[in-house]
Amino acid sequence: MFNMYTLLRENIKKLKPYSSARDEFQGEASVYLDANENPYENGINRYPDPLQQELKVQIGHLKDVLPERIFLGNGSDEAIDLLFRAFCEPGTDNVVAMKPTYGMYKVCADINNVTYKEVLLKEDYSLDVDGILNSLDNHTKIVFLCSPNNPTGNSLAQVDVLHILDCFDGLVVIDEAYIDFSTQNSFTDRLNNYPNLVVLQTFSKAWGMAGARLGMAFASKEIIQILNSIKYPYNINVLTQDTVLDRLATKDKVEQQVKEIIAEREKLITELSALSFVDMVYPTEANFVLVRVNNPVEIYKYLMNRGVIVRDRSKVALCEGCLRITVGTDEDNRILIEALKELKAF
Ligand SMILES: *Cc1c(COP(=O)(O)O)cnc(C)c1O
């Protein structure tokens, strides 16, 4: 049986969180003399809402999740780091993740001195469910899954993820940074059934706000309360909260952009597949394409000299020979393909 409190580190169980001025007085007043702010209005002279309540109401509508089940962080990376700090005892506990995947889980594990156990995906990039279940032990606190996965681009099979959620009494984190480009349903639908589920999403990709730094974690109310109690009090600044609220009001425009990116992705897949030096274009449900070529490093450098920067993933396990290419605008993609066609002429 899953019990969040038995998973928590002892020091976090005992923690008395910092109480800010904005925690101690909530509501509307006419004169604020409690936070040592400069009283002259300039749009950012006041501290932000530490719990971002207005933003969570809007995100809650959008995602069909209760505000009390939403944590907002300085990118999803903040949520990842806080999960380590809340649940993983340095030097004792471990986490399990698939390989290859997003690099931040390992970096956060290393920073927190938590053992990071990796289980290779299968050749077709599907989850090795037995491999993951076999790697769990009494000190495993979190399993990290990423779907659609970075850098492979595929979504994990829902049955595989559910099987891990059913079998493991620790936290299962599903990173859905690319969910808006995929045909799959979000696992946020399953929050009612799985108290051990944490779903991560972000405003950095589909929402076009990587510069604003806003990540979301969806989980049980109890897990969200823990994350809130250990975060920096004012982790999301006023400018980000206001900018994201404005952006949420233009949801239709963002959805249109996502459609265009998906259409461009399909065009790109067709054009890349036609190139003689391309061995394989992997199926993708994200806003990037993983492409296996016969000479990745030379092509990477050639493109760089042409002013086109892609990601060399050829040293990554199971991605030998691969470049990861983000889907750009129609113009960006045309420049990329023109450059590659000229390379073929050599
Ligand atoms: C890009 C990306 C993120 C986003 O991180 P932010 O800190 O929210 O910008 C998270 N997870 C994966 C797998 C990513 O590729």
Side-chain angles (χ1 to χ4, degrees), residues 75-77 102 105 146 150 175 177-178 202 204-205 213:
S76 348
D77 295 344
Y102 184 49
Y105 319 133
C146 185
N150 179 4
D175 188 340
Y178 300 99
T202 179
S204 297
K205 308 287 159 62
R213 309 307 302 132

Side-chain angles (χ1 to χ4, degrees), residues 84-121:
F84 276 100
R85 290 163 59 190
F87 293 100
C88 301
E89 191 60 34
T92 305
D93 288 333
N94 66 73
V95 302
V96 171
M98 49 200 244
K99 179 181 180 163
T101 193
Y102 184 49
M104 271 310 283
Y105 319 133
K106 180 168 179 358
V107 173
C108 284
D110 290 345
I111 290 170
N112 287 286
N113 193 24
V114 169
T115 302
Y116 184 81
K117 299 203 271 187
E118 305 179 280
V119 178
L120 263 190
L121 293 173

